[in-house]
């Protein structure tokens, strides 16, 4: 049985510097899909050799941030001393835990010379017991992202988070969760089965696609019901299409989000701000971080 669509929507504009951004999650219909509580789509864009694309140093607590760079170069600094650059196809993952400050800058890819950028940032909510843990960080380059061909030469699937068949992402799991990048060839289709109660959404970043016989436009965020069933992706276009599919088990603890913090109560939000202003998240030492790379 095919899963039914719960809703579809397009994001709100939320530009930063030279980057054109659409905020897809949270939206007017839902605050979360499984553990995912935030999704910004940095849309494909051509840039000159210099860009103003940094978020600036800012704190997080209670979540893991995940940046998936389809095109471009992402540079990461944080107050725990972590530093790395990932390039087109790579991933930056950071568990904020009990508090960290980070700074990310998206730029053109110095390895390929391409002047296009295209990326996504997700926030993954942590279970209450993990919100108090120390921060962690992981950089995953494109060649480290598990992927495989789809049946019948339909395309490829990349496992950004979670697992699919024999593929397992390096990104830690604190609950059942998954994030797939499906690349579907022209005239091809692919079917995936979703278990009962699992929350799941699809996002079409650049091309139209047909999901369970219903046509959706590029830029649409589509959430499905929680009944067990299949999602059939059809690409009726003369060119390949990209689809992000993500979700997981429902987050059953209270969710209280404010600014860069996602906690389980208003008291914890107040504590997060108090600890930040008290300097407990540390400071980014940019020169030291670069020297350790």
């Amino acid at each position: 049985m095919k899963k039914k669509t719960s809703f579809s929507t397009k994001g709100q504009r939320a530009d930063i510097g030279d980057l054109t951004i659409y905020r897809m999650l949270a939206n007017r219909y839902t605050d979360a899909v499984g553990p995912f509580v935030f999704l910004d789509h940095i849309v494909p864009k051509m840039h000159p050799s210099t860009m103003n694309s940094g978020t600036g140093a800012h704190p997080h607590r209670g979540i893991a941030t995940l940046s998936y760079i389809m095109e471009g170069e992402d540079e990461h600094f944080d107050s725990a001393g972590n530093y790395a650059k990932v390039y087109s196809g790579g991933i930056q993952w950071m568990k904020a835990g009990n508090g960290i400050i980070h700074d990310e800058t998206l730029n053109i890819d110095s390895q390929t010379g391409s002047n296009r950028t295209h990326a996504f940032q997700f926030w993954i909510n942590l279970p209450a017991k993990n919100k108090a843990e120390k921060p962690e960080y992981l950089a995953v380059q494109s060649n480290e992202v598990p992927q495989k061909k789809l049946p019948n030469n339909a395309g490829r699937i990349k496992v950004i988070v979670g697992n699919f068949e024999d593929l397992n992402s390096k990104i830690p799991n604190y609950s059942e969760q998954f994030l797939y990048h499906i690349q579907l060839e022209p005239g091809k289709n692919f079917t995936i089965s979703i278990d009962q109660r699992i929350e799941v959404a699809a996002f079409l970043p650049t091309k139209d696609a047909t999901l369970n016989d219903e046509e959706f436009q590029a830029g649409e965020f589509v959430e499905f019901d929680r009944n067990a069933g299949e999602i059939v992706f059809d690409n009726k276009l003369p060119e390949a299409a990209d689809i992000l599919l993500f979700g997981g088990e429902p987050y059953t603890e209270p969710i209280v989000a404010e600014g860069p913090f996602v906690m389980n109560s208003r008291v914890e939000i107040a504590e997060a701000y108090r600890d930040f202003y008290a300097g407990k998240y540390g400071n980014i030492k940019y020169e030291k971080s670069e020297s350790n790379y």
Side-chain angles (χ1 to χ4, degrees):
M1 181 180 294
K2 293 180 180 179
K3 292 177 68 66
K4 295 181 180 179
T5 301
S6 299
F7 68 85
S8 65
T9 186
K10 291 192 173 182
Q12 298 294 318
R13 193 82 174 257
D15 295 0
I16 297 175
D18 293 332
L19 302 176
T20 302
I21 298 173
Y22 281 89
R23 185 149 298 160
M24 308 308 306
L25 184 68
N27 57 54
R28 61 184 294 187
Y29 300 105
T30 187
D31 292 328
V33 180
F36 295 90
V37 293
F38 180 93
L39 168 58
D40 266 1
H41 178 213
I42 298 96
V43 305
K45 192 173 183 180
M46 305 288 284
H47 296 277
S49 57
T50 59
M51 294 173 58
N52 172 24
S53 61
T55 57
H58 60 280
H60 285 295
R61 188 167 182 167
I63 57 171
T65 64
L66 184 143
S67 298
Y68 175 42
I69 314 303
M70 283 183 64
E71 295 181 272
E73 173 182 301
D74 189 50
E75 186 174 27
H76 169 99
F77 299 86
D78 67 44
S79 57
N82 298 302
Y83 172 80
K85 286 183 180 180
V86 301
Y87 305 91
S88 298
I91 303 163
Q92 299 269 22
W93 176 86
M94 182 187 74
K95 182 175 80 173
N98 61 8
I100 196 169
I101 298 171
H102 80 144
D103 188 352
E104 277 192 74
T105 300
L106 181 64
N107 217 315
I108 60 178
D109 193 328
S110 61
Q111 290 192 335
T112 64
S114 170
N115 62 347
R116 278 170 55 94
T117 57
H118 186 198
F120 306 87
Q121 183 169 88
F122 292 85
W123 292 1
I124 304 171
N125 202 2
L126 296 173
K129 64 181 180 180
N130 302 111
K131 290 180 183 289
E133 294 175 346
K134 291 182 178 180
E136 296 179 18
Y137 171 76
L138 189 62
V140 182
Q141 300 295 348
S142 178
N143 61 359
E144 301 174 297
V145 179
Q147 59 181 290
K148 68 190 305 181
K149 291 183 179 180
L150 297 175
N152 303 315
N153 296 315
R156 302 190 72 84
I157 183 168
K158 296 181 180 181
V159 179
I160 312 302
V161 174
N163 54 70
F164 176 79
E165 295 180 348
D166 59 333
L167 303 179
N168 297 283
S169 171
K170 289 186 174 183
I171 304 302
N173 295 314
Y174 296 95
S175 63
E176 185 175 351
Q177 58 185 17
F178 59 90
L179 167 57
Y180 306 142
H181 175 191
I182 299 165
Q183 299 168 300
L184 201 57
E185 293 297 321
K188 297 291 186 176
N189 63 73
F190 170 63
T191 300
I192 191 167
S193 296
I194 305 296
D195 292 337
Q196 186 77 17
R197 293 183 64 253
I198 293 298
E199 299 178 356
V200 59
F203 178 60
L204 309 179
T206 58
K207 299 287 191 304
D208 299 351
T210 301
L211 312 181
N212 284 351
D213 304 316
E214 189 173 355
E215 294 183 3
F216 294 96
Q217 297 178 338
E220 281 199 81
F221 175 106
V222 184
E223 189 180 65
F224 296 88
D225 66 23
R226 299 183 186 181
N227 296 321
E230 296 180 336
I231 303 175
V232 181
F233 304 94
D234 283 291
N235 182 10
K236 299 180 180 180
L237 302 176
E239 53 193 352
D242 294 298
I243 301 162
L244 293 186
L245 186 73
F246 64 96
E249 63 181 297
Y251 189 91
T252 57
E253 296 167 321
I255 300 175
V256 181
E258 185 174 311
F261 307 126
V262 182
M263 304 303 294
N264 301 114
S265 69
R266 296 297 308 175
V267 170
E268 291 174 337
I269 291 288
E271 290 174 347
Y273 277 107
R274 185 177 64 244
D275 289 349
F276 168 61
Y277 289 120
K280 293 185 178 180
Y281 297 0
N283 295 291
I284 298 174
K285 299 177 181 178
Y286 289 93
E287 292 182 3
K288 183 178 178 181
S289 296
E290 290 185 41
S291 68
N292 290 338
Y293 179 59

